[in-house]
């Protein structure tokens, strides 16, 4: 399994809705609104890095109101 | 009370109008045009961090012409 | 209570040690290594925004090997 | 007169001291600690843009613990 | 007189046209296409910082295809 | 000959299509999807820096779904 | 196997040496000097994301003169 | 010939000295202090992109007090 944080920027005024919708996507463990350069921080997991990439592109980025996502895979060093 | 600076980027050509409109929002103490990576710098206050987040998302980001806001809560260390 | 994500950049080669040390700081709920523009992502909580600021400046930033921290308070909109 | 916001990044753990010291510099109207990508936000004024540049380089940047300053002159459009 | 560099990002595919149009704006001394994080670098001058701000917002940012401008006033230290 | 990496940001959900289309542009040696602050990394070559600039502006940036490109010419020091 | 681009910033004047040394690290496929916001772009591969993280932290970041690395895993969508 | 802008960040308090020293480097056409995210903006020229890269790494980056340079080659589209 690969877990990752996904740092999300939304269109102005859309942060709350985006977090709500993302929360319901399979593979998403948590989605919260934050202040600062990002608007929503998500924790997600998938089988492989490729699956994670597909989750982000096909599911998360499909949510209306998202302008940028930044995926940060968690690594165990 | 929580106070914060809100650093705002606007659509090109909209800085002046954005600052004017934001000045009239309750909770906004000051809104000024600047040059550099940001176009408008706002000082605002609210009861709690959550209220501040709502002020930004519901009121400030509702102003036409804003493309990004960056909220920097003031802290007393 | 205020919770926040703290996105941390470390000196090269220090990510793993930094995450380990931060994990032991009171108020820190989780600290993980990630790849991308940040090296460690921390979840922490404190009573107020000011307490959170003090936790970051006095405790987290005191960990050797950290070069930048970016605090993103979680808001409930 | 030219006024400006100066957005400051400090070495880890130095934000509070930096804000205190800057507050005492002639031409500085206000200096506060913030969370987010910047650590201290200052408001300052000078006679001209050149004087403002000198204030920042000669006085503000001379404060120990500052790593970057970003000067944003206030403009009246 | 105040001179400044204006670092410009354009919509994809618009860099060349933007530089051409900006070259014809009074107060603009030079406008060139570059590669890297910016697409066009302009040198301009105005009587005061306020005039410079107005030149950028009213004239330069009015050129179709510009998405962000970053004004860097030249200072004589 | 000048070679360069082109770091590309795409509209959300478009990374895969963008990489596919760019792969077919003459002068493009490789185009791959990545995670992180960029969505697609391209390697391209042209006769001169000017030709490279034209390749990027006229061909690569013409691909639907691209929002920003950052050209990094390879240099032999 | 996981492949990734590693975008590297070096201390001033160290780009060439850094690229040379990194080229010799097992798992590194290519290391080239570039101009722009990054100084060296590396292509590397490892068995898993965790191995990739260890390669970057333990080997690449151990090269003298590196100040920041940004790992961008290649994904097949 | 290849011309380029070089956007330079300096250690705090060093902008003025850095601009003075760079002005004397062969191939440098102009070096000026600016306010904003960069401290000095240089215009330089060289025979080829490789020569330009060498000029930046071997000569410009050798000036004491520089922390980052960002080379933006001028292109004629």
């Amino acid at each position: 399994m690969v877990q990752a944080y996904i740092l999300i920027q939304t269109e102005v005024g859309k942060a709350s809705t985006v977090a709500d919708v993302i929360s319901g996507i399979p593979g998403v463990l948590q989605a919260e609104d934050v202040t600062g350069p990002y608007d929503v921080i998500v924790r997600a997991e998938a089988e492989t890095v490729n699956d994670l990439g597909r989750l982000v592109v096909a599911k998360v980025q499909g949510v209306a109101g998202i302008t940028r996502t930044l995926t940060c895979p968690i690594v165990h060093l």
Side-chain angles (χ1 to χ4, degrees), chain A:
Chain A
M1 285 308 257
V2 178
Q3 289 206 353
Y5 286 103
I6 310 169
L7 313 178
I8 296 178
Q9 295 182 327
T10 70
E11 293 171 19
V12 289
K14 299 290 177 58
S16 178
T17 314
V18 165
D20 282 354
V21 176
I22 290 179
S23 297
I25 296 175
V28 168
L29 307 175
Q30 197 166 34
E32 292 166 304
D33 294 297
V34 294
T35 71
Y38 307 104
D39 303 304
V40 177
I41 293 184
V42 170
R43 190 184 179 106
E45 71 178 0
E47 279 298 316
T48 67
V49 171
N50 288 338
D51 290 338
L52 186 67
R54 280 180 211 117
L55 169 67
V56 172
V57 169
K59 298 291 171 55
V60 175
Q61 295 190 345
V63 175
I66 292 179
T67 54
R68 283 293 301 161
T69 69
L70 171 52
T71 304
C72 304
I74 296 170
V75 291
H76 301 93
L77 302 174

